[in-house]
Amino acid sequence: FQTWLSNRKTDPDLLANCEVLTVENVTHIACGAGLLGSGGGGSPELGRLIAQQFIQAGKPIHRISLEQLPDNALVLALGVMGS
């Protein structure tokens, strides 16, 4: 799955104005996800580790707003938690 996702082509114009996440950003996002999902469902740690591996391998993770997404965009949930 990671190889397929990594090989997908992305429109460079779409990503031009997007924030590239850092390991620190991902750590903060995982912490927030843990707090927001405090009703149960598990730890956000696995998602944080996967994202960290991508970043450390030189594969950027971009934060994009819903308004920037094209209507035909492929969107994947890489982590799921909650009750």
Side-chain angles (χ1 to χ4, degrees), residues 39-71:
S43 169
E45 185 66 10
L46 179 59
R48 185 193 66 78
L49 290 173
I50 292 171
Q52 181 177 325
Q53 286 178 348
F54 264 80
I55 293 167
Q56 290 174 336
K59 300 174 183 175
I61 299 175
H62 296 87
R63 185 183 61 83
I64 185 169
S65 70
L66 291 176
E67 292 79 21
Q68 291 173 288
L69 279 176
D71 291 339

Side-chain angles (χ1 to χ4, degrees), residues 2 7 10 17 19 21 23-25 30 32 35 38-40 43 45-48 50 55 59 63 65 67 74:
Q2 288 183 356
N7 291 332
T10 305
N17 296 318
E19 176 185 4
L21 297 180
V23 171
E24 183 179 5
N25 295 142
L35 292 172
S38 61
S43 169
E45 185 66 10
L46 179 59
R48 185 193 66 78
I50 292 171
I55 293 167
K59 300 174 183 175
R63 185 183 61 83
S65 70
E67 292 79 21
L74 173 64

